Amino acid sequence: MEWLAHDVVEKILENNNFEVFTPDVPEFGNIMHHIIRSCDRAQLVIADVTGNNPNVLYEMAIIDAMGRPCVPVKIRDVADNEKDLQLFDRAQYRHFEINARETEEAINKLGPVIHKVLQARQDGDLIENPMTDYFGIPLNSMSSAYGIARSYYRNLVVPCFEGKIIDGPDFALEEESQIIDRKMVCIIPGNLEQATRREIDFLVKRRSFVPVKLNAYGREITIYLLSDEILQNADPVIVDIPTTLASLRESVLSRLGRNANPKPNSPDYQEIQSDEILQFKRYLERFAYNDLGTHSSNILRNFKTFNIKDIKDLKATEIKNLFENN
């Protein structure tokens, strides 16, 4: 490995301002943390797949998921040629064979390959591997239900519990004591097509929702309350349809793969869409649970999610009833 790294690869890259290192550098702590961090930061990985070492193949799978450039190399001795074959799973992808200690030959063989891969990365071209060929993008480039739920929680849920309603109908303007007991429901539609401002406008026109202005951390945002007709003098309830859910459509399309039916009514699309929505819901509820004591202690008790297949079938009284036995 040292020969490949320093006598071959380092020579190839000597004019490119690269630091070449191997994963066996002395560093305290979990070795897999070091390897994964190195793979994540690397602009190029040269994988010594001689002997089909399971550890190396596992690490290559991580690199594939990250979409990082990886050049697989087998170091040959004459006696090993017939035994050390490329594994079936990766047989359709190129690997490069070099002879042990034949430094100049190895530089001449790997040099053009490495420079071509680096140029492709510089140009923003997709790095071909089993993951990117199927999904069309690296796994870590997919829109994340976790990240979207976290952003929604921090940028809307928390401000809704800690801000103050400054403009709206009389029933919406709270006393300080009411803010402490504020309630909120996140309405999660059964399909991503309904996670739009259009659906919220529909519920406003139907007089189920009422828009109000809330000031939180020095910024004003428009939020929605159940209408007074629904509440019938009960405490105000903030309601929202997370339009940010719509961005999960890219995740659905990516997970379908390049050759699948991308139509929203296809069984595969429906299955993956349901999974993405469920992940968002689980993460959102987890943030509310784990945040106890960090922000308003009221969030855990008075923040709820509500699933509905079709927004047009929403009965606002069902939202109000969520808190009756609270």
Side-chain angles (χ1 to χ4, degrees), residues 101-281:
R101 299 298 167 184
E102 295 291 338
T103 304
E104 288 301 318
E105 178 187 316
I107 290 173
N108 291 334
K109 191 165 190 176
L110 295 181
V113 175
I114 288 174
H115 287 300
K116 184 176 180 180
V117 169
L118 289 174
Q119 187 60 51
R121 183 183 185 279
Q122 181 69 27
D123 293 343
D125 294 343
L126 191 66
I127 303 300
E128 290 186 358
N129 65 51
M131 294 285 192
T132 56
D133 281 353
Y134 181 81
F135 290 112
I137 58 172
L139 290 187
N140 63 349
S141 294
M142 288 186 182
S143 177
S144 162
Y146 176 92
I148 290 171
R150 180 175 59 181
S151 177
Y152 178 80
Y153 179 78
R154 290 179 175 176
N155 295 322
L156 186 72
V157 176
V158 171
C160 279
F161 278 91
E162 299 196 341
K164 183 175 182 179
I165 295 173
I166 56 173
D167 186 31
D170 289 343
F171 82 91
L173 303 177
E174 308 156 305
E175 300 292 335
E176 200 68 34
S177 59
Q178 291 176 296
I179 295 176
I180 296 173
D181 201 37
R182 185 174 285 163
K183 300 173 176 64
M184 180 177 182
V185 178
C186 174
I187 300 169
I188 300 178
N191 67 77
L192 301 175
E193 302 297 322
Q194 290 198 331
T196 65
R197 188 60 52 191
R198 182 184 66 247
E199 306 303 324
I200 295 176
D201 291 342
F202 166 78
L203 292 169
V204 170
K205 289 178 181 177
R206 203 173 71 175
R207 301 176 66 85
S208 296
F209 289 5
V210 175
V212 298
K213 292 286 186 183
L214 178 133
N215 184 287
Y217 314 129
R219 68 185 178 102
E220 290 186 12
I221 56 177
T222 298
I223 62 171
Y224 298 86
L225 302 181
L226 285 180
S227 69
D228 195 29
E229 296 174 21
I230 304 296
L231 290 170
Q232 296 182 345
N233 298 319
D235 290 338
V237 177
I238 298 171
V239 284
D240 188 62
I241 299 171
T243 56
T244 187
L245 269 175
S247 60
L248 287 175
R249 187 170 185 273
E250 290 302 316
S251 294
V252 175
L253 294 174
S254 297
R255 288 177 61 188
L256 279 171
R258 289 178 165 179
N259 300 318
N261 183 354
K263 294 183 178 179
N265 60 354
S266 72
D268 282 348
Y269 187 103
Q270 294 283 324
E271 180 183 4
I272 296 174
Q273 173 181 249
S274 296
D275 180 63
E276 290 287 336
I277 292 172
L278 179 60
Q279 286 188 65
F280 173 87
K281 178 179 184 291

Side-chain angles (χ1 to χ4, degrees), residues 22-87:
T22 59
D24 56 352
V25 296
E27 182 171 302
F28 179 77
N30 188 314
I31 187 170
M32 281 308 299
H33 289 181
H34 170 65
I35 290 172
I36 292 173
R37 184 176 69 249
S38 298
C39 291
D40 183 55
R41 307 296 192 273
Q43 296 187 51
L44 172 70
V45 176
I46 308 296
D48 181 0
V49 294
T50 307
N52 296 320
N53 184 319
N55 291 338
V56 175
L57 297 176
Y58 175 77
E59 290 151 12
M60 280 185 67
I62 294 173
I63 295 164
D64 285 350
M66 293 176 175
R68 295 289 185 266
C70 181
V71 177
V73 174
K74 284 185 179 289
I75 303 174
R76 293 297 195 191
D77 290 319
V78 175
D80 295 331
N81 283 354
E82 294 183 1
K83 296 179 181 179
D84 190 13
L85 300 176
Q86 180 79 326
L87 292 180

Side-chain angles (χ1 to χ4, degrees), residues 9 13 42 47 81 90 97 100 189 193 207 228 263 297 301:
V9 177
L13 297 173
N81 283 354
R90 298 196 66 92
E97 299 181 4
E193 302 297 322
R207 301 176 66 85
D228 195 29
K263 294 183 178 179
S297 59
R301 184 164 57 92

